[in-house]
Amino acid sequence: MEGDSEKERAAVNLSRYALACHASGKPIKREDIRGPLMAGLNSRSFRPVFDLANAFLEEDFALKMVSLPQHEKKAARSDSANANASKTANRWVLQSVLPDEARERLDMVLAKDEKSILGFAAMVLSLIFVNNMSISHEQLVLYVRKLGPPACVFPAGEARDMSVAGVATDVHLESAAHAAIAYLARHSYLDKIALSSANGRQGFGETQATQQTADAEGESGVEYTWGPQAKVKFEMMDMARFIAAVSGQECTPDFIKAVGRACGQNISATGAAE
């Protein structure tokens, strides 16, 4: 028979695992929780252990585990299949429970690499945001080339060395852009969606090198939208304010309405889409 002490031990282990995932930028996965973290406990203990771990995290670290939205499904899947796939949460990330005012007073400082990644992700997501929440692979590569991804998104090796060395040939720029997009997709900032029908036309602003690379990698019929991590970390009102700041404009009600029209959403003052 399971006792409170076993559930408390499992909750402590889960809170430690959640903090480790947060530090490494990885999601908390259901299958990992059900394994060694809940050894000796039955499946009905999952929710009590999860809730207790969340209570520990909130009390000690002002954090809580929130579920990541499901990945966008490919166009070929039916709406009913998508609905069935989203019933159960399988991945979570840690999110602060401190109000915005408290976080501003604390003046929380991010690590240099974390700040660079978030800034780069925000720029890429803002481009998708004002493009009706989707963008073709070819256009995204073009934009990322112009932005210049930070070196910290590259794995150790040739791509990082190329970035640090400042090599700027067309081939290297293409390679860097693809590596940066892959990084954002791997960390769930972006979702890749296969188009229902690819017409084979060269996209707007697309370079010949971009088209050749996309065709070689099978990406010519692909577009990107916001991934689960982006939906958790960036609220719509926050993104509207970010776009206003980057473009040097005031975030007025009229500006918010204009941004909302560009992303296909009616943005409320609370940050939610109406």
Side-chain angles (χ1 to χ4, degrees):
M1 185 175 177
E2 297 174 359
D4 291 341
S5 60
E6 286 81 2
K7 291 179 181 177
E8 185 172 344
R9 172 189 53 78
V12 170
N13 289 338
L14 173 52
S15 61
R16 290 171 176 168
Y17 166 72
L19 290 168
C21 289
H22 181 66
S24 60
K26 297 178 181 178
I28 303 153
K29 297 181 180 179
R30 178 182 289 269
E31 59 265 30
D32 293 337
I33 298 174
R34 286 193 179 280
L37 295 177
M38 291 188 61
L41 299 176
N42 62 43
S43 58
R44 288 177 296 179
S45 298
F46 182 89
R47 179 48 60 183
V49 168
F50 186 92
D51 290 343
L52 185 56
N54 245 350
F56 290 157
L57 289 165
E58 187 167 349
E59 181 179 353
D60 295 338
F61 301 99
L63 297 168
K64 68 175 180 180
M65 291 180 282
V66 296
S67 61
L68 283 174
Q70 294 289 327
H71 283 281
E72 295 285 343
K73 305 302 178 184
K74 293 183 180 181
R77 293 196 59 176
S78 65
D79 292 339
S80 59
N82 290 346
N84 291 333
S86 61
K87 287 181 179 178
T88 305
N90 291 309
R91 302 187 307 159
W92 299 264
V93 291
L94 288 183
Q95 192 173 60
S96 174
V97 298
L98 291 174
D100 291 339
E101 299 80 13
R103 279 185 283 176
E104 288 172 3
R105 287 198 302 269
L106 286 172
D107 192 23
M108 300 173 74
V109 179
L110 298 175
K112 183 180 178 181
D113 281 357
E114 187 178 2
K115 186 181 294 186
S116 296
I117 291 167
L118 280 177
F120 174 65
M123 286 297 298
V124 171
L125 294 170
S126 70
L127 293 169
I128 297 174
F129 192 76
V130 298
N131 200 48
N132 203 25
M133 295 304 288
S134 67
I135 192 170
S136 71
H137 175 82
E138 294 82 9
Q139 283 180 297
L140 184 56
V141 170
L142 182 69
Y143 287 137
V144 171
R145 279 174 56 121
K146 291 179 178 178
L147 285 174
C152 55
V153 305
F154 301 123
E158 180 180 352
R160 184 180 180 93
D161 293 342
M162 175 270 296
S163 176
V164 173
V167 179
T169 66
D170 199 48
V171 172
H172 282 126
L173 290 172
E174 287 295 313
S175 177
H178 282 276
I181 292 169
Y183 177 93
L184 294 178
R186 190 167 60 251
H187 287 79
S188 297
Y189 286 103
L190 297 178
D191 258 347
K192 183 193 297 185
I193 303 174
L195 300 178
S196 55
S197 60
N199 55 23
R201 289 189 298 108
Q202 189 165 303
F204 173 76
E206 184 182 332
T207 65
Q208 184 178 4
T210 299
Q211 177 65 29
Q212 290 172 347
T213 306
D215 290 343
E217 298 188 3
E219 303 284 13
S220 58
V222 164
E223 66 180 14
Y224 289 88
T225 186
W226 280 27
Q229 191 83 264
K231 294 172 185 176
V232 169
K233 287 191 175 182
F234 299 94
E235 292 187 352
M236 293 201 168
M237 190 63 199
D238 291 336
M239 184 55 67
R241 294 191 187 103
F242 174 79
I243 293 169
V246 169
S247 60
Q249 301 183 58
E250 291 187 20
C251 194
T252 63
D254 286 341
F255 180 85
I256 294 169
K257 287 180 182 178
V259 171
R261 287 194 297 270
C263 75
Q265 302 283 351
N266 184 17
I267 305 172
S268 71
T270 62
E274 296 178 342

